[in-house]
Amino acid sequence: MYWDPAYETLPREDMAKLQLSRLQKLAELVYNNVEFYRRKFDELKVKPSDIKSLDDIRRLPFTTKDDLRDNYPYKMFSSSLDDVVRIHASSGTTGKPTVVGYTRVDVDIWAETMARSFTAAGLTHRDIIQNAFGYGLFTGGLGAHYGIEKIGASVVPVSGGNSKRQIMFLKDFGCTGICCTPSYAASLLDAARDEGVDLRKLPVRAGLFGAEPWSVQMRREIEEGWGMTATDIYGLSEIIGPGVSFECPQAQRGLHVNEDHFYPEVIDPDTSEVLPAGEKGELVFTTITKEAIPLIRFRTRDISSIDSSPCSCGRTLIKMNKVFGRTDDMLIIRGVNVFPSQIEEVLLANSGLLPYYQIVVDKKGALDTVEVLVEVAEDLFVTDEIRKLQQREELLEKSIKSNVGITAKVRLVEPKTIHRSEGKAQRVIDKRERFV
Ligand code: DLL
């Protein structure tokens, strides 16, 4: 049930003590080894020895993705490159990628946090797990790989893509677990249908999905289509990769943060003020055990909140709520803030619609326009007359208006017209960017 009960169920007071001593060591480490942090600490007139309580973390500087880019590739590293055994990088769309390194200890910690996540999802050494997260510089593939090996399960390192082969392996290898992005899990549903394979009849019983926001409706689609329990796993390369937090199936309400390694805070993204538990804001993490590239108060741009209520699973690790979206993915439509996952929620709450959609944002004169393209199930597309399809579109438009607060044009499209994702899905096409 737990991978590491000593830490996963550590009494709260002991966790706080552990976090404080780790934070104190971290402050010393970065102050002595990273020019960037020494400068920031000096600017803020704070010394590592000023950290006397966990609340003193608020005296420390934030770190942003731009700081990592500005210090490309190794200037944020705390350890010597001689001790680094792995390098990953995020594929930023603009500018230089962000580069992260791992010592042997970091890789072990990562495997440990991933082992906790797989165990919480109900998987054990008896399972065969297809790892369809992309292998390479992206942290999904190798992160999951080490966690699966750690729990002693068999890993099938298939990586993302080639859906036909994925379906064949799932079937022939008797896989009992799967991990990939939720949008790829949805794509595989479609690929299986094409192959005449009913995924519900396969032995797959648990899946871990993450690397992008996904709504509860998407979870339901995946669970029903695959006949399995789908759990959420969250993380980001700068902090470690996947395994920063994980869901326990008993609750499916929030993700336990591996807070003996990653100290969470939620801040108001505009004022940088720390928000109390329960309030939605930007997640910030401090890596309190990382060696190669420890980061202080890294601003994730992910929107969530902390849930400090006790969990029925017995873990004392604090929880964060499912990530709603990223501040940089938030669309501002005629002054209304919208996250793509809110639109996904409305779409998938309707039967007959498939989990393949795209949101196209444009400008007509001075006004923003939104068009939502979503696929309809084959049978409806064939049997529904045009008028009925139009009625469905109108109902969806009304529902988006009342639930999300924006006016959008909905267009039901034929099955297989929307691009299928193999990794992180691109849900939004923002044509307004050319006006910027
Ligand atoms: O996506 C690491 C990862 C791999 C997590 C596999 C989970 C599973 P990056 O490529 O650096 O790392 O992207 C990190 O992806 O800041 C979030 O915006 C988003 N993200 C990751 N997991 C979730 C999730 C990996 N469960 C960025 N729900 C993060 C929502 C997620 N968004």
Side-chain angles (χ1 to χ4, degrees), residues 319-344:
K319 286 191 291 187
M320 56 180 249
N321 285 310
K322 210 167 167 36
V323 170
F324 197 59
R326 291 179 60 77
T327 48
D328 31 2
D329 286 345
M330 187 181 78
L331 296 165
I332 305 178
I333 308 295
R334 301 189 197 175
V336 180
N337 298 348
V338 184
F339 286 98
S341 61
Q342 290 174 279
I343 295 183
E344 175 179 298

mmCIF file of all heavy atoms in Angstrom, residues 319-344:
data_model
loop_
_atom_site.group_PDB
_atom_site.id
_atom_site.type_symbol
_atom_site.label_atom_id
_atom_site.label_comp_id
_atom_site.label_asym_id
_atom_site.label_seq_id
_atom_site.Cartn_x
_atom_site.Cartn_y
_atom_site.Cartn_z
ATOM 1 N N LYS A 319 -1.491 17.391 0.576
ATOM 2 C CA LYS A 319 -1.976 17.212 -0.802
ATOM 3 C C LYS A 319 -2.069 18.545 -1.541
ATOM 4 O O LYS A 319 -2.217 19.591 -0.926
ATOM 5 C CB LYS A 319 -3.366 16.573 -0.786
ATOM 6 C CG LYS A 319 -3.303 15.100 -0.435
ATOM 7 C CD LYS A 319 -4.607 14.403 -0.663
ATOM 8 C CE LYS A 319 -5.658 14.840 0.300
ATOM 9 N NZ LYS A 319 -6.889 14.040 0.182
ATOM 10 N N MET A 320 -1.960 18.461 -2.835
ATOM 11 C CA MET A 320 -2.272 19.627 -3.684
ATOM 12 C C MET A 320 -3.438 19.209 -4.570
ATOM 13 O O MET A 320 -3.597 18.011 -4.861
ATOM 14 C CB MET A 320 -1.064 20.029 -4.545
ATOM 15 C CG MET A 320 -0.504 18.914 -5.415
ATOM 16 S SD MET A 320 0.901 19.445 -6.406
ATOM 17 C CE MET A 320 0.152 19.397 -8.048
ATOM 18 N N ASN A 321 -4.268 20.151 -4.940
ATOM 19 C CA ASN A 321 -5.389 19.792 -5.810
ATOM 20 C C ASN A 321 -4.913 19.625 -7.239
ATOM 21 O O ASN A 321 -3.859 20.126 -7.619
ATOM 22 C CB ASN A 321 -6.499 20.815 -5.677
ATOM 23 C CG ASN A 321 -7.234 20.621 -4.366
ATOM 24 O OD1 ASN A 321 -7.642 19.492 -4.051
ATOM 25 N ND2 ASN A 321 -7.350 21.665 -3.568
ATOM 26 N N LYS A 322 -5.692 18.863 -7.989
ATOM 27 C CA LYS A 322 -5.378 18.626 -9.397
ATOM 28 C C LYS A 322 -5.060 19.955 -10.087
ATOM 29 O O LYS A 322 -5.783 20.931 -9.887
ATOM 30 C CB LYS A 322 -6.622 17.996 -10.037
ATOM 31 C CG LYS A 322 -6.349 17.061 -11.168
ATOM 32 C CD LYS A 322 -7.618 16.271 -11.477
ATOM 33 C CE LYS A 322 -7.544 15.536 -12.795
ATOM 34 N NZ LYS A 322 -6.288 14.971 -13.190
ATOM 35 N N VAL A 323 -3.990 19.943 -10.872
ATOM 36 C CA VAL A 323 -3.591 21.195 -11.524
ATOM 37 C C VAL A 323 -4.634 21.587 -12.580
ATOM 38 O O VAL A 323 -5.017 20.786 -13.423
ATOM 39 C CB VAL A 323 -2.183 21.092 -12.153
ATOM 40 C CG1 VAL A 323 -1.887 22.302 -13.020
ATOM 41 C CG2 VAL A 323 -1.140 20.965 -11.060
ATOM 42 N N PHE A 324 -5.060 22.794 -12.480
ATOM 43 C CA PHE A 324 -6.145 23.350 -13.248
ATOM 44 C C PHE A 324 -5.647 23.799 -14.622
ATOM 45 O O PHE A 324 -6.319 23.694 -15.626
ATOM 46 C CB PHE A 324 -6.535 24.574 -12.422
ATOM 47 C CG PHE A 324 -7.849 25.141 -12.704
ATOM 48 C CD1 PHE A 324 -8.978 24.378 -12.556
ATOM 49 C CD2 PHE A 324 -7.955 26.474 -13.085
ATOM 50 C CE1 PHE A 324 -10.204 24.933 -12.790
ATOM 51 C CE2 PHE A 324 -9.176 27.033 -13.320
ATOM 52 C CZ PHE A 324 -10.306 26.257 -13.170
ATOM 53 N N GLY A 325 -4.424 24.308 -14.653
ATOM 54 C CA GLY A 325 -3.842 24.814 -15.891
ATOM 55 C C GLY A 325 -2.616 25.624 -15.552
ATOM 56 O O GLY A 325 -2.275 25.755 -14.378
ATOM 57 N N ARG A 326 -1.964 26.136 -16.575
ATOM 58 C CA ARG A 326 -0.776 26.959 -16.351
ATOM 59 C C ARG A 326 -1.134 28.423 -16.574
ATOM 60 O O ARG A 326 -1.951 28.722 -17.447
ATOM 61 C CB ARG A 326 0.310 26.582 -17.371
ATOM 62 C CG ARG A 326 0.888 25.225 -17.173
ATOM 63 C CD ARG A 326 1.919 24.947 -18.239
ATOM 64 N NE ARG A 326 3.013 25.909 -18.221
ATOM 65 C CZ ARG A 326 4.008 25.904 -17.349
ATOM 66 N NH1 ARG A 326 4.052 24.982 -16.412
ATOM 67 N NH2 ARG A 326 4.968 26.791 -17.411
ATOM 68 N N THR A 327 -0.498 29.298 -15.814
ATOM 69 C CA THR A 327 -0.797 30.721 -16.012
ATOM 70 C C THR A 327 -0.518 31.101 -17.467
ATOM 71 O O THR A 327 -1.223 31.907 -18.049
ATOM 72 C CB THR A 327 0.038 31.622 -15.079
ATOM 73 O OG1 THR A 327 1.389 31.207 -15.155
ATOM 74 C CG2 THR A 327 -0.430 31.534 -13.654
ATOM 75 N N ASP A 328 0.490 30.479 -18.078
ATOM 76 C CA ASP A 328 0.780 30.870 -19.466
ATOM 77 C C ASP A 328 -0.133 30.196 -20.498
ATOM 78 O O ASP A 328 -0.072 30.517 -21.676
ATOM 79 C CB ASP A 328 2.265 30.743 -19.845
ATOM 80 C CG ASP A 328 3.009 29.655 -19.128
ATOM 81 O OD1 ASP A 328 2.356 28.953 -18.341
ATOM 82 O OD2 ASP A 328 4.209 29.493 -19.367
ATOM 83 N N ASP A 329 -0.964 29.231 -20.069
ATOM 84 C CA ASP A 329 -1.935 28.640 -21.001
ATOM 85 C C ASP A 329 -3.293 29.306 -20.840
ATOM 86 O O ASP A 329 -4.244 28.989 -21.545
ATOM 87 C CB ASP A 329 -2.134 27.142 -20.722
ATOM 88 C CG ASP A 329 -0.946 26.338 -21.185
ATOM 89 O OD1 ASP A 329 -0.126 26.880 -21.946
ATOM 90 O OD2 ASP A 329 -0.842 25.168 -20.779
ATOM 91 N N MET A 330 -3.374 30.191 -19.863
ATOM 92 C CA MET A 330 -4.661 30.819 -19.615
ATOM 93 C C MET A 330 -4.986 31.768 -20.764
ATOM 94 O O MET A 330 -4.160 32.583 -21.162
ATOM 95 C CB MET A 330 -4.597 31.603 -18.303
ATOM 96 C CG MET A 330 -5.929 32.154 -17.887
ATOM 97 S SD MET A 330 -5.786 33.081 -16.368
ATOM 98 C CE MET A 330 -5.094 34.606 -16.996
ATOM 99 N N LEU A 331 -6.184 31.600 -21.302
ATOM 100 C CA LEU A 331 -6.603 32.475 -22.401
ATOM 101 C C LEU A 331 -7.390 33.627 -21.810
ATOM 102 O O LEU A 331 -8.149 33.438 -20.854
ATOM 103 C CB LEU A 331 -7.521 31.699 -23.344
ATOM 104 C CG LEU A 331 -6.891 30.509 -24.057
ATOM 105 C CD1 LEU A 331 -7.988 29.618 -24.650
ATOM 106 C CD2 LEU A 331 -5.958 31.002 -25.152
ATOM 107 N N ILE A 332 -7.174 34.787 -22.346
ATOM 108 C CA ILE A 332 -8.017 35.900 -21.904
ATOM 109 C C ILE A 332 -8.908 36.254 -23.083
ATOM 110 O O ILE A 332 -8.442 36.739 -24.109
ATOM 111 C CB ILE A 332 -7.183 37.108 -21.437
ATOM 112 C CG1 ILE A 332 -6.202 36.636 -20.348
ATOM 113 C CG2 ILE A 332 -8.081 38.228 -20.910
ATOM 114 C CD1 ILE A 332 -5.283 37.706 -19.824
ATOM 115 N N ILE A 333 -10.178 35.880 -22.947
ATOM 116 C CA ILE A 333 -11.124 36.087 -24.033
ATOM 117 C C ILE A 333 -12.055 37.224 -23.650
ATOM 118 O O ILE A 333 -12.870 37.070 -22.737
ATOM 119 C CB ILE A 333 -11.957 34.797 -24.291
ATOM 120 C CG1 ILE A 333 -11.026 33.582 -24.483
ATOM 121 C CG2 ILE A 333 -12.917 34.986 -25.460
ATOM 122 C CD1 ILE A 333 -10.157 33.641 -25.709
ATOM 123 N N ARG A 334 -11.927 38.290 -24.356
ATOM 124 C CA ARG A 334 -12.720 39.497 -24.066
ATOM 125 C C ARG A 334 -12.749 39.774 -22.562
ATOM 126 O O ARG A 334 -13.806 39.953 -21.951
ATOM 127 C CB ARG A 334 -14.149 39.355 -24.593
ATOM 128 C CG ARG A 334 -14.168 39.109 -26.081
ATOM 129 C CD ARG A 334 -15.545 39.173 -26.646
ATOM 130 N NE ARG A 334 -15.592 38.562 -27.960
ATOM 131 C CZ ARG A 334 -16.679 38.397 -28.656
ATOM 132 N NH1 ARG A 334 -17.831 38.818 -28.196
ATOM 133 N NH2 ARG A 334 -16.634 37.836 -29.850
ATOM 134 N N GLY A 335 -11.571 39.676 -21.979
ATOM 135 C CA GLY A 335 -11.443 40.007 -20.561
ATOM 136 C C GLY A 335 -11.756 38.871 -19.590
ATOM 137 O O GLY A 335 -11.578 39.023 -18.390
ATOM 138 N N VAL A 336 -12.237 37.725 -20.105
ATOM 139 C CA VAL A 336 -12.543 36.618 -19.188
ATOM 140 C C VAL A 336 -11.382 35.626 -19.219
ATOM 141 O O VAL A 336 -10.895 35.256 -20.287
ATOM 142 C CB VAL A 336 -13.859 35.895 -19.615
ATOM 143 C CG1 VAL A 336 -14.177 34.739 -18.676
ATOM 144 C CG2 VAL A 336 -15.003 36.885 -19.683
ATOM 145 N N ASN A 337 -10.937 35.203 -18.027
ATOM 146 C CA ASN A 337 -9.850 34.234 -17.962
ATOM 147 C C ASN A 337 -10.382 32.820 -18.143
ATOM 148 O O ASN A 337 -11.312 32.413 -17.453
ATOM 149 C CB ASN A 337 -9.159 34.289 -16.599
ATOM 150 C CG ASN A 337 -8.541 35.644 -16.356
ATOM 151 O OD1 ASN A 337 -8.437 36.452 -17.277
ATOM 152 N ND2 ASN A 337 -8.141 35.897 -15.133
ATOM 153 N N VAL A 338 -9.787 32.085 -19.063
ATOM 154 C CA VAL A 338 -10.285 30.735 -19.362
ATOM 155 C C VAL A 338 -9.120 29.768 -19.462
ATOM 156 O O VAL A 338 -8.112 30.051 -20.104
ATOM 157 C CB VAL A 338 -11.000 30.703 -20.742
ATOM 158 C CG1 VAL A 338 -11.603 29.334 -20.987
ATOM 159 C CG2 VAL A 338 -12.034 31.770 -20.848
ATOM 160 N N PHE A 339 -9.284 28.612 -18.822
ATOM 161 C CA PHE A 339 -8.303 27.554 -19.000
ATOM 162 C C PHE A 339 -8.889 26.502 -19.931
ATOM 163 O O PHE A 339 -10.083 26.170 -19.825
ATOM 164 C CB PHE A 339 -7.967 26.905 -17.649
ATOM 165 C CG PHE A 339 -7.105 27.786 -16.804
ATOM 166 C CD1 PHE A 339 -7.659 28.570 -15.814
ATOM 167 C CD2 PHE A 339 -5.738 27.841 -17.013
ATOM 168 C CE1 PHE A 339 -6.864 29.397 -15.040
ATOM 169 C CE2 PHE A 339 -4.932 28.664 -16.249
ATOM 170 C CZ PHE A 339 -5.495 29.446 -15.262
ATOM 171 N N PRO A 340 -8.075 25.939 -20.833
ATOM 172 C CA PRO A 340 -8.588 24.926 -21.751
ATOM 173 C C PRO A 340 -9.297 23.776 -21.013
ATOM 174 O O PRO A 340 -10.299 23.249 -21.497
ATOM 175 C CB PRO A 340 -7.322 24.413 -22.451
ATOM 176 C CG PRO A 340 -6.352 25.552 -22.376
ATOM 177 C CD PRO A 340 -6.666 26.285 -21.111
ATOM 178 N N SER A 341 -8.806 23.433 -19.802
ATOM 179 C CA SER A 341 -9.429 22.296 -19.105
ATOM 180 C C SER A 341 -10.875 22.590 -18.704
ATOM 181 O O SER A 341 -11.686 21.672 -18.555
ATOM 182 C CB SER A 341 -8.609 21.884 -17.888
ATOM 183 O OG SER A 341 -8.535 22.943 -16.975
ATOM 184 N N GLN A 342 -11.233 23.884 -18.572
ATOM 185 C CA GLN A 342 -12.632 24.202 -18.243
ATOM 186 C C GLN A 342 -13.537 23.881 -19.435
ATOM 187 O O GLN A 342 -14.654 23.410 -19.277
ATOM 188 C CB GLN A 342 -12.773 25.692 -17.922
ATOM 189 C CG GLN A 342 -12.140 26.106 -16.630
ATOM 190 C CD GLN A 342 -12.222 27.622 -16.496
ATOM 191 O OE1 GLN A 342 -11.418 28.343 -17.072
ATOM 192 N NE2 GLN A 342 -13.193 28.108 -15.750
ATOM 193 N N ILE A 343 -13.012 24.142 -20.638
ATOM 194 C CA ILE A 343 -13.798 23.847 -21.846
ATOM 195 C C ILE A 343 -13.887 22.328 -22.016
ATOM 196 O O ILE A 343 -14.946 21.779 -22.316
ATOM 197 C CB ILE A 343 -13.171 24.543 -23.072
ATOM 198 C CG1 ILE A 343 -13.266 26.064 -22.874
ATOM 199 C CG2 ILE A 343 -13.860 24.098 -24.371
ATOM 200 C CD1 ILE A 343 -12.760 26.922 -23.992
ATOM 201 N N GLU A 344 -12.751 21.649 -21.749
ATOM 202 C CA GLU A 344 -12.748 20.176 -21.839
ATOM 203 C C GLU A 344 -13.831 19.592 -20.931
ATOM 204 O O GLU A 344 -14.574 18.688 -21.319
ATOM 205 C CB GLU A 344 -11.371 19.661 -21.414
ATOM 206 C CG GLU A 344 -11.285 18.134 -21.340
ATOM 207 C CD GLU A 344 -9.884 17.653 -20.941
ATOM 208 O OE1 GLU A 344 -8.921 17.926 -21.684
ATOM 209 O OE2 GLU A 344 -9.763 17.006 -19.886
#
